[in-house]
Amino acid sequence: MAATKFSSNFQSSDNVAQMKASSTLAAMQAAEAMRTAGVDVVDLGAGEPDFDTPQNIKDAAAEAMRAGKTKYTPTAGTRELQRAIIEMYARDFGANYERNEVMATSGGKQAIFNAVVSLINPGDEVLIPKPYWVTFPEIVTFARGRSVFIETEDNGFVLTAEMVNRAITPRTKLIILNSPSNPSGRVIPPSELRKIMEITAEHDLYAVSDECYLRFVYPPAEVFSAASFRSELRKRLCIAGSFSKTYAMTGWRVGYSLANADWTRAMLKVQGHSTSNATSISQAAAIEALNGPQDSVATMLAEYTRRREWLLNALNEISGLRCPQPEGAFYAFPDVRDCLKKGETSDDFVNQLLEKEQTVVTDGAAFGAEGFIRISYATSLDRLQEGVKRIRRVAERII
Ligand code: GLU
């Protein structure tokens, strides 16, 4: 097509051309566009708490602004935030991290980005268990690594050390772990996680543990961080953490990484030439989040628990749809294959929901699990109830 006044004939770099846009963000934006157009949309797409950021955290940010904390901070974050993160890991997980092993990032996503691009060379293999958070393989692509996916469906989407062992080749450099998992809500039992870490240590592999749902687990599952392992197992581990989910702070864009000093130094270079530092005001808020009262976390967890109970029963009453109990995070990940007509995919299911029922969920295929859909229950029980009615109509074809 001939270039018009408005066309720049732009062609993105090969690295970026191979990346897919984020489907989780696309689902959120589709819902937002419908809301703006006045549609009565039920948004079960957003992986975002529907709670407001706790007031004490907002107050800390306001106070930081008043006190003029509106300037650059060190790339690794303020000393106070580094200290608060180190103290939290010492207190809750018995882990001893030094200041040169911790850095604040612009969200957990940037911690993962920093970790991968500072480690991976072209052709290095990165193990990614399925289903995976959409962003993992795309960052690997950007770094010109090769994602090697591990199938886990036979074990109800829970990764085992045996599966990891089978996937390792001489080119394997890194494994990306995420427990509780987005999208499946499954939790790797700590004893199995230890075996996985032992295997990665035996093969001199690196590991990134995305722990952004750390605090949202449902008994009998327990809050557990890979930081709890003895230091030989943590030598090549990078923990990526986030304030977004735990403290309902998605828009503040603040997270952190914990990794050995060399890896952290490399990540600081990446961050020093990209975002410089996490927002100074968000860092002040994050300190209050860690050091202030934690009752808002318990309140959110209690509400997610209540919704989970209701949602799981309701979903499993829909004929053809099967959904195991999520053990953590705030997603249900039902199998909809028995609701599909011959030749249909879960993407068709998602589109029917959107077009006929104005309901947004995320296609499992985006997470490497065709035939599944992700339903976020970080939304009020009322809206969930309305959403499930609509899902039933599409699943049972009452439309
Ligand atoms: N992590 C959330 C989700 O999976 C937020 C969107 C994103 O950053 O991908 O929906």
Side-chain angles (χ1 to χ4, degrees):
M1 211 211 302
T4 69
K5 188 172 154 202
F6 301 107
S7 160
S8 63
N9 282 332
F10 174 78
Q11 285 214 318
S12 60
S13 64
D14 293 346
N15 290 10
V16 172
Q18 284 168 29
M19 291 170 85
K20 291 192 215 110
S22 165
S23 354
T24 46
L25 298 184
M28 275 194 236
Q29 280 150 25
E32 182 54 28
M34 286 167 82
R35 262 192 301 273
T36 309
V39 175
D40 172 27
V41 58
V42 176
D43 181 8
L44 308 178
E48 170 168 59
D50 55 318
F51 300 95
D52 196 4
T53 307
Q55 192 59 42
N56 61 312
I57 298 176
K58 290 188 190 175
D59 290 345
E63 179 48 36
M65 280 190 276
R66 266 196 297 274
K69 293 186 181 165
T70 53
K71 310 285 189 193
Y72 290 128
T73 74
T75 307
T78 62
R79 276 178 180 265
E80 294 82 355
L81 178 54
Q82 287 181 302
R83 193 180 319 120
I85 295 168
I86 290 169
E87 284 173 4
M88 186 268 273
Y89 274 85
R91 190 175 60 232
D92 294 358
F93 304 109
N96 296 317
Y97 280 100
E98 303 289 334
R99 206 162 66 79
N100 59 5
E101 296 175 314
V102 52
M103 61 187 278
T105 56
S106 299
K109 195 181 278 187
Q110 194 190 12
I112 300 164
F113 186 88
N114 290 345
V116 173
V117 303
S118 62
L119 179 74
I120 293 304
N121 284 316
D124 283 345
E125 291 180 358
V126 180
L127 302 181
I128 301 180
K130 282 184 175 183
Y132 45 77
W133 183 40
V134 295
T135 292
F136 298 155
E138 304 311 325
I139 297 178
V140 172
T141 298
F142 180 80
R144 297 200 169 208
R146 205 168 82 74
S147 295
V148 173
F149 299 108
I150 304 181
E151 298 291 344
T152 61
E153 195 186 335
D154 286 351
N155 194 40
F157 290 142
V158 181
L159 183 70
T160 66
E162 177 52 33
M163 292 172 186
V164 175
N165 208 15
R166 278 201 302 265
I168 294 172
T169 76
R171 302 226 57 162
T172 311
K173 182 97 170 254
L174 171 70
I175 181 166
I176 304 182
L177 302 165
N178 174 220
S179 174
S181 153
N182 172 10
S184 74
R186 298 313 303 266
V187 167
I188 303 172
S191 56
E192 197 61 34
L193 192 58
R194 175 188 301 278
K195 287 189 205 151
I196 293 169
M197 293 305 297
E198 283 166 356
I199 285 174
T200 61
E202 260 166 46
H203 290 83
D204 289 339
L205 305 185
Y206 292 83
V208 167
S209 178
D210 171 2
E211 300 187 353
C212 89
Y213 297 94
L214 177 70
R215 301 288 173 186
F216 295 138
V217 290
Y218 310 99
E222 284 173 14
V223 172
F224 185 81
S225 168
S228 315
F229 295 131
R230 63 180 195 275
S231 48
E232 304 89 83
L233 293 186
R234 285 196 277 121
K235 270 199 306 218
R236 291 193 173 80
L237 169 71
C238 175
I239 292 194
S242 172
F243 292 86
S244 297
K245 312 289 159 72
T246 311
Y247 300 102
M249 291 176 72
T250 48
W252 299 71
R253 306 313 304 135
V254 59
Y256 55 88
S257 61
L258 293 162
N260 71 54
D262 293 332
W263 199 351
T264 300
R265 207 170 305 117
M267 292 195 281
L268 284 169
K269 278 203 246 171
V270 176
Q271 182 154 301
H273 289 297
S274 49
T275 59
S276 297
N277 57 261
T279 308
S280 59
I281 301 152
S282 299
Q283 290 189 51
I287 295 167
E288 171 62 20
L290 291 178
N291 293 345
Q294 300 295 305
D295 41 318
S296 56
V297 183
T299 306
M300 284 189 266
L301 180 61
E303 181 57 22
Y304 291 143
T305 305
R306 190 169 83 97
R307 294 174 190 173
R308 182 186 78 137
E309 297 310 321
W310 182 86
L311 178 65
L312 266 291
N313 286 331
L315 286 176
N316 282 314
E317 277 169 15
I318 297 177
S319 83
L321 195 144
R322 274 167 295 145
C323 191
Q325 283 275 1
E327 300 157 294
F330 41 60
Y331 305 108
F333 199 57
D335 182 345
V336 297
R337 285 173 291 197
D338 287 349
C339 307
L340 303 176
K341 282 199 202 127
K342 201 167 169 6
E344 275 184 343
T345 62
S346 44
D347 186 45
D348 295 318
F349 189 93
V350 168
N351 285 329
Q352 285 167 31
L353 257 176
L354 189 67
E355 283 156 23
K356 299 187 175 145
E357 295 287 348
Q358 295 76 48
T359 298
V360 179
V361 299
T362 316
D363 179 12
F367 306 94
E370 163 56 42
F372 290 74
I373 60 170
R374 189 189 78 171
I375 298 172
S376 165
Y377 52 92
T379 194
S380 70
L381 197 51
D382 273 14
R383 296 311 281 164
L384 271 178
Q385 288 170 339
E386 178 59 29
V388 169
K389 265 193 220 155
R390 297 181 185 193
I391 292 171
R392 177 193 284 276
R393 288 200 289 259
V394 170
E396 298 180 355
R397 302 190 180 270
I398 316 168
I399 39 179

